[in-house]
């Protein structure tokens, strides 16, 4: 499969694949630099937006407190005389405020700093946003945003809302400045890293050929390209890290420069509100030195606004009387207490550098994910080049080269589907709307189940269809159907339409899957087949590592719809990549026998078959589908963590699986019993599910995913080997097709039922309960399997002796 | 049949417009509670016709009013305070239909402790034709505000040994102390031969509390205490340098340093809201929980604070209402105790 090359040949032909290797290097570093710029930009955007929101929350809550006080005094909302003054005063808090309004539960504006608005009705979107919220609501429109707080009377009955509408023009300007700065950084950083990457590739090839060429000439030994490939990958990734680091460093400075003014504005608003409070106390005849509990209040304010490093109250001579927080290097914002005629002192607020650092640290976490993805991408691309480039000795028509070519569209298509993993359930929930009832949890699982069901039931008929029309063509059509499904999902307006589009995605997925499988069978001999399937599974696994975290990042920053659109674009790239396959790819197809009902019934009569499928295969798929596709994305987001965190958790699963699979094969080779691997793996995979009952937060989800990856890695390969061992008689009499056909079908039905089961359990027992109950079920199956396997071994031994 | 349908169609707007008849029984004349109650219907545009009856502190007049209610058969009965309410509906476990109103919905207001007064078995449901509102903040909320003002490890309490209500508060306070980590020093008022509390020796009792380590004097909703607060208890506490915390508006008015009190007007509005659930939304009173307000006013007497050398912490200027201040500031918002 791998091109076995002598180093001399590589040295001589180094010039030839150089262009392609350069392309790989440039692609990888540009991906890294581009993602870094993208992530930093969106982090900046959310930091600017949240600074503005919390800034507007200060006058909004001041108005709410004042109005609710009037309500407590028994004044009806419509007749509180002090309210207009209060609104006018708070409007001065910030120049960006366009209007502060108070509207009742029917949406009628009762008071507003904009006189024309009084008596009109607020837009339906405002009313909807306010109605959905218990306390705070927020909405963004073109050019302005609204920060709202609900008003309640003294016995908690909603009376309406306070709405502070403010222009986002200044935010847009800040974003524009940041875009310009990032573009410069990305262009310079991208060009620089691309050059450096090419230089590194050239350098590696040169030193390699110098050293190994000489040695090969001396002793005539044959080398292997794998170490070279590792060196190339290392060099490219080193440059990618440098690029990521350099861009992040430069971004940090742009970040600082552009975010500081926004934070200073917020500091001024907070300082003003603290100043007003101190002013009130002083008006009551209390002297500044007499004030009690000032530090406690300042510390409280600082807790609410983590961007602020220091708050201090200064007397009329500028001497600090009270202060909390650490000194900042930059001068803070100073706001006077009292009016100009009677100054009472001032409030000084400094902005925290630690806050900026914490934002950038969050970006680093995402960048680490980008790096992992870049590493897998590099490996994938280099393998493709080594296996397909005739100058590197690969025969273009050979099976290995065809498989390497097939791997590209397969990887791209699977990546497209994996991109959506982390946000499909959340998107489904959003489409269902605010109506929260018991069935919502189940309904969210329906699109996932429909997808799985189409995949499970579609594979057999699609396999024979793809053999009829040709594998290359089938793969192209499948990918195209996937593009349409993903694009449709991106545009879906209703829940039912979304289910239909996901069903189409399932059809595309099943088609590409069986066609790629067909390519492996058609282009490998019996001896090469295991290795061929390893390549096939490898592409899917790499996609599973890279897709979910990238998709989560996309969903967080540009939304799930854009995430589907990107997935559709990647799937389109897969459609084009199918052209890499030679036209005669469908050449030597061995028509696989179709699975008939009679076969299924016969196979189901096998006790050992039932034992393995019902107690091992179905539970394994059940826990996989319910955890990875449903519970993790929904649960992580419900904790308030970003979708990217859900994606990272799914990545942990796939990454552990990738690492464990070869180790499990090694264990099997060393004679560890297959049944033990299957049963033990199943039990291990379930353990993490209980952790969610013990600990809260995201960490136990990561643990559960790692254990799931470990357990599945131990058991899945052993499962099919065990099946062929246990049902050797059936295989001898009828061949393995019916056996494995029925096995895969039942297993995939387990896959499809997972999300529905999870949804039902969430509705009754909550997220942690659902995790634990499914884990308990799977653990019970695993233990029972081990028990029966022991008994079965016993009877086997007895039978042999007899 | 057609005629009948036409008649119903013609009558129904008239039926809808017929005002609800409410029979209101008060203890000591109309208060802010009744104003809030009546204003609530006006504000919501619900037509009502309220008949007021006052017993002028004489509970002996209640049986005659029960008779009148039976005769008039109003849509709803409104009652003020524990005494009036018990006289109209009786204790929940001994509501004799011959003596009390059982077949007409009753909404009570201004009952400090509806469970202790045996008007309802639990706050969730009266299990009968009664619901209503209390005006006292939960003890937990009051203790939280007290410790926000000035942290304490020991609270003092004077109580009437003959008032079950006061004893119940003492138990609750001790339980709250175990939760929040403070001790309770309690002294009973001296009693006469008949077992009734007397004001004798109050300064001495307060001095005892102070010496025993009390850092606050908590003034619970206690009838005898209320009569003695202004003239005796609060001045004695101030003399001893012990800050007093009031649980009701009258106790606050007696000169306490601070208090978490409800506005009577709002209590009346809340009773109006409960009446609306019954009259307009046709809910059964037994399905409407008995509740207290979610927002109370924190009142602070700055002159007393100064005298005691206990100025309130800065944050309280955000939400407390300052009484007797040198400067009349705009109305201050209410406090939202955590329930």
């Amino acid at each position: 499969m791998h091109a076995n090359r002598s180093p001399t040949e590589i040295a001589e032909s180094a010039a030839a694949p150089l262009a392609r290797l350069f392309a790989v290097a440039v692609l990888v570093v540009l991906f890294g630099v581009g993602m870094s710029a993208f992530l930093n930009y969106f982090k900046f955007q959310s930091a600017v937006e949240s600074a503005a929101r919390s800034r507007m929350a200060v006058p909004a809550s001041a108005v709410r407190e004042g109005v609710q006080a009037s309500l407590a005094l028994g004044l009806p909302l419509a007749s509180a005389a002090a309210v207009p003054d209060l609104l006018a005063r708070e409007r001065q808090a910030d120049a960006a405020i366009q209007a502060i309004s108070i509207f009742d539960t029917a949406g009628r504006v009762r008071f507003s700093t904009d006189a024309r608005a009084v008596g009109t009705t607020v837009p339906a979107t405002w009313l909807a946003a306010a109605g959905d919220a218990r306390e705070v609501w927020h909405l963004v429109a073109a050019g302005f945003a609204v920060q709202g707080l609900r008003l309640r009377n003294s016995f908690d009955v909603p009376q309406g809302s306070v709405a502070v509408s403010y222009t986002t023009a200044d935010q847009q300007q800040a974003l524009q400045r940041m875009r310009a700065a990032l573009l410069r950084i990305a262009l310079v950083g991208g060009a620089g890293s691309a050059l450096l990457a090419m230089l590194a590739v050239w350098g590696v090839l040169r030193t390699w050929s110098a050293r190994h060429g000489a040695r090969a000439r001396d002793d005539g030994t044959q080398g292997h390209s794998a170490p070279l490939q590792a060196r190339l990958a290392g060099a490219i990734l080193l440059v990618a890290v440098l690029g990521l680091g350099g861009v992040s460093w430069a971004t940090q400075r742009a970040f600082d420069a552009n975010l500081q003014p926004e934070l200073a504005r917020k500091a001024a608003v907070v300082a003003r509100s603290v100043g007003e409070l101190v002013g009130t106390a002083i008006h009551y005849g209390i002297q500044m030195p007499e004030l009690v509990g000032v530090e406690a209040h300042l510390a409280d304010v600082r807790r609410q606004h983590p961007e602020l490093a220091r708050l201090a109250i200064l007397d009329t001579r500028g001497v600090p009387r009270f202060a909390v927080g650490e000194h900042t290097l930059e001068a803070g914002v100073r706001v006077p207490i009292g009016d100009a005629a009677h100054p009472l002192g001032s409030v000084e607020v400094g902005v925290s550098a630690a806050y900026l650092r914490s934002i950038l640290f969050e970006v680093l976490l995402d960048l680490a994910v980008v790096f992992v993805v870049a590493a897998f991408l590099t490996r994938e691309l280099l393998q493709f080049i080594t296996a397909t480039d005739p100058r590197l000795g690969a025969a273009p028509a050979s099976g290995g080269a065809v498989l390497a070519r097939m791997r590209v569209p397969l990887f791209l298509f699977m990546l497209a589907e994996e991109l959506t993993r982390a946000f499909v359930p959340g998107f489904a929930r959003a489409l269902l709307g605010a109506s929260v009832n018991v069935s919502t949890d189940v309904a969210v699982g329906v699109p996932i189940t429909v997808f799985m069901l189409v995949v499970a039931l579609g594979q057999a008929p699609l396999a024979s269809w793809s053999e009829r029309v040709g594998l290359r063509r089938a793969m192209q059509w499948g990918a195209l159907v996937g593009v349409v499904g993903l694009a449709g999902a991106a545009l879906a307006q209703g829940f039912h339409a979304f289910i239909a589009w996901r069903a189409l995605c399932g059809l595309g997925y099943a088609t590409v899957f069986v066609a790629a499988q067909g390519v492996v069978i058609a282009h490998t001999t019996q001896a090469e087949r295991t290795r061929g399937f390893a390549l096939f599974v490898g592409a899917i696994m790499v996609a599973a590592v890279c897709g979910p975290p990238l998709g989560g990042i996309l969903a967080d920053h540009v939304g799930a719809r854009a995430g589907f659109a990107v997935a559709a674009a990647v799937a389109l790239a897969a459609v084009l990549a199918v052209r890499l396959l030679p036209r005669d790819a469908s050449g030597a197809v061995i028509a696989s026998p179709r699975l008939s009902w009679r076969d299924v019934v016969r196979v189901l009569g096998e006790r050992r078959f039932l034992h393995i499928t019902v107690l091992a295969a179905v539970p394994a798929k059940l826990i996989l589908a319910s955890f990875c596709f449903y519970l993790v994305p929904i649960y992580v987001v419900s904790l308030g963590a970003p979708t990217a965190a859900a994606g990272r958790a799914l990545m942990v699963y796939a990454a552990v699986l990738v690492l464990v699979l070869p180790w499990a094969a090694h264990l099997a080779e060393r004679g560890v019993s297959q049944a033990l691997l299957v049963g033990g793996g199943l039990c291990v995979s379930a353990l993490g599910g209980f952790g969610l009952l013990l600990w809260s937060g995201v960490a136990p989800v990561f643990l559960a995913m790692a254990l799931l990856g470990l357990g599945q890695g131990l058991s899945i390969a052993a499962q099919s080997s065990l099946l062929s061992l246990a049902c050797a008689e059936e295989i001898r009499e009828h061949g393995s097709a019916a056996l494995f056909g029925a096995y895969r079908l039942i297993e995939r039905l387990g896959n499809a039922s997972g999300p529905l089961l999870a949804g039902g359990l969430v509705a009754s027992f909550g997220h942690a309960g659902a995790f634990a109950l499914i884990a308990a079920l799977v653990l019970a199956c695993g233990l029972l399997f081990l028990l029966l396997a022991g008994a079965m071994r016993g009877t086997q031994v007895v039978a042999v002796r007899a | 049949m057609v005629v009948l349908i036409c008649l119903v169609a013609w009558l129904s707007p008239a039926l809808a417009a017929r005002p609800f008849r409410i029979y209101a029984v008060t203890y000591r004349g109309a208060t802010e509670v009744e104003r809030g109650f009546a204003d609530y219907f006006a504000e919501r545009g619900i037509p009502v016709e309220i008949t007021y009856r006052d017993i002028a502190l004489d509970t002996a007049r209640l049986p005659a009013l029960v008779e009148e209610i039976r005769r008039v058969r109003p849509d709803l009965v409104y009652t003020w305070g524990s005494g009036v309410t018990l006289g109209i509906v009786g204790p929940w476990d001994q509501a004799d239909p011959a003596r009390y109103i059982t077949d007409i919905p009753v909404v009570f207001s201004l009952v400090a402790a509806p469970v202790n007064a045996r008007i309802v078995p639990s706050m969730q449901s009266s299990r009968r034709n009664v619901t209503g509102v209390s005006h006292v903040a939960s003890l937990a909320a009051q203790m939280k505000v007290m410790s926000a003002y000035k942290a304490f490890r020991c609270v003092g309490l004077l109580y009437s040994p003959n008032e079950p209500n006061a004893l119940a508060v003492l138990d609750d306070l001790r339980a709250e102390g175990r939760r929040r980590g403070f001790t309770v020093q309690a002294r009973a008022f001296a009693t006469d031969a008949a077992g009734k509390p007397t004001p004798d020796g109050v300064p001495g009792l307060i001095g005892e509390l102070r010496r025993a380590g009390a850092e606050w004097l908590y003034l619970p909703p206690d009838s005898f205490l209320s009569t003695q607060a202004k003239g005796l208890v609060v001045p004695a506490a101030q003399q001893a340098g012990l800050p007093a915390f009031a649980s009701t508006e009258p106790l606050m008015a007696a000169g306490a340093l601070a208090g978490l009190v409800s506005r009577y007007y709002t209590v009346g509005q809340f009773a109006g809201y409960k009446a609306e659930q019954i009259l307009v939304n046709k809910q059964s009173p037994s399905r409407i929980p008995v509740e207290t307000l979610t927002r109370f006013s924190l009142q602070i007497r700055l002159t007393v604070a100064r005298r005691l050398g206990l100025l309130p912490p800065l944050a309280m200027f955000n939400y407390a209402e300052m009484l007797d201040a040198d400067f009349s500031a705009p109305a201050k918002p209410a406090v939202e105790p955590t329930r």
Side-chain angles (χ1 to χ4, degrees), chain A residues 608 790-802:
Chain A
R608 293 195 183 124
M792 209 186 276
R793 233 194 339 267
T795 57
Q796 267 175 328
V797 172
V798 171
V800 169
R801 277 186 193 152

Side-chain angles (χ1 to χ4, degrees), chain A residues 304-565:
Chain A
Q304 286 168 32
H305 304 283
E307 309 88 330
L308 308 181
R310 175 184 152 87
L311 286 136
I313 292 174
L314 289 67
D315 64 15
T316 42
R317 285 167 302 160
V319 179
R321 289 285 184 173
F322 308 96
V324 295
E326 78 262 22
H327 273 280
T328 48
L329 290 176
E330 295 97 19
V333 178
R334 199 182 274 200
V335 171
I337 304 172
D339 51 33
H342 304 94
L344 302 168
S346 55
V347 181
E348 199 177 73
V349 176
V351 173
S352 165
Y355 173 72
L356 282 171
R357 281 199 298 275
S358 78
I359 293 184
L360 292 164
F361 179 73
E362 285 170 34
V363 178
L364 275 185
L365 215 58
D366 281 341
L367 284 179
V369 169
V370 168
F371 177 73
V372 172
V373 172
F376 279 99
L377 197 67
T378 311
R379 202 183 75 156
E380 198 65 14
L381 289 169
L382 286 177
Q383 263 177 9
F384 169 68
I385 288 181
T386 11
T388 58
D389 198 307
R391 287 163 299 191
L392 285 173
S398 78
V402 172
L403 289 198
R405 285 165 187 273
M406 179 275 290
R407 210 174 136 127
V408 177
L410 178 68
F411 168 73
L412 286 173
F413 187 81
M414 293 298 158
L415 180 68
E417 202 38 69
E418 291 289 344
L419 278 173
T420 68
R421 287 282 181 254
F423 58 79
V424 160
F427 186 65
R429 170 151 291 197
L431 280 180
L432 275 169
S435 60
V436 176
N437 49 43
V438 177
S439 65
T440 310
D441 292 312
V442 182
V444 166
V446 172
I448 310 167
T449 292
V450 166
F451 176 90
M452 304 269 183
L453 214 55
V454 171
V455 172
L457 299 175
Q459 288 201 356
L462 285 169
S464 50
W465 173 77
S466 66
E467 281 161 11
R468 271 204 314 281
V469 300
L471 296 171
R472 183 179 189 264
R473 212 150 143 220
M475 203 163 174
Q476 203 155 23
W477 274 111
L480 201 60
V481 168
V483 172
V484 175
L486 289 165
L491 300 170
Q493 288 306 316
F495 185 64
H496 295 106
F498 180 63
I499 293 178
W501 291 119
R502 287 303 293 163
L504 206 59
C505 290
L507 191 67
Y509 184 95
T511 313
V512 171
F513 189 92
V514 294
Q517 212 171 20
V519 171
V520 174
I521 296 171
H523 291 272
T524 50
T525 62
Q526 194 66 44
E528 291 171 332
R529 198 146 293 161
T530 315
R531 181 123 192 100
F533 272 114
L535 268 184
F536 169 80
V537 171
I540 297 176
M541 289 316 307
V542 171
V545 172
C546 301
L550 287 182
I553 290 170
L554 283 173
D556 281 339
H557 297 308
V558 290
R561 286 186 190 280
F564 276 118

Side-chain angles (χ1 to χ4, degrees), chain A residues 264-275:
Chain A
R265 292 176 70 174
K266 180 174 171 182
V269 170
V270 173
R272 179 179 165 277
S273 106
V274 170

Side-chain angles (χ1 to χ4, degrees), chain A residues 65-66 68-69 71-74 76 152-157 277-278 280-281 283-286 290-294 297, chain B residues 43 263 265-266 269-270 273 293-295 302 306 311-315 317-318 322 325-327 329 331-334 339:
Chain A
E65 288 310 314
Q68 288 192 157
L71 291 170
L73 288 170
R152 287 169 192 277
N153 69 7
S154 295
F155 35 100
D156 217 25
V157 176
L277 181 63
V278 173
T280 307
H283 275 297
Y284 276 119
I286 297 170
E290 290 182 306
L291 289 171
V292 181
V294 182
H297 178 66
Chain B
E43 197 190 313
R263 304 209 157 262
Y265 183 92
T266 324
Q269 282 183 311
F270 200 8
Y273 173 77
L293 300 178
T294 50
R295 290 172 72 85
L302 275 182
R306 219 172 241 302
L311 288 172
L314 179 65
F317 286 88
N318 249 337
M322 302 298 167
D326 312 343
F327 164 83
K332 281 288 143 186
R339 280 202 275 190

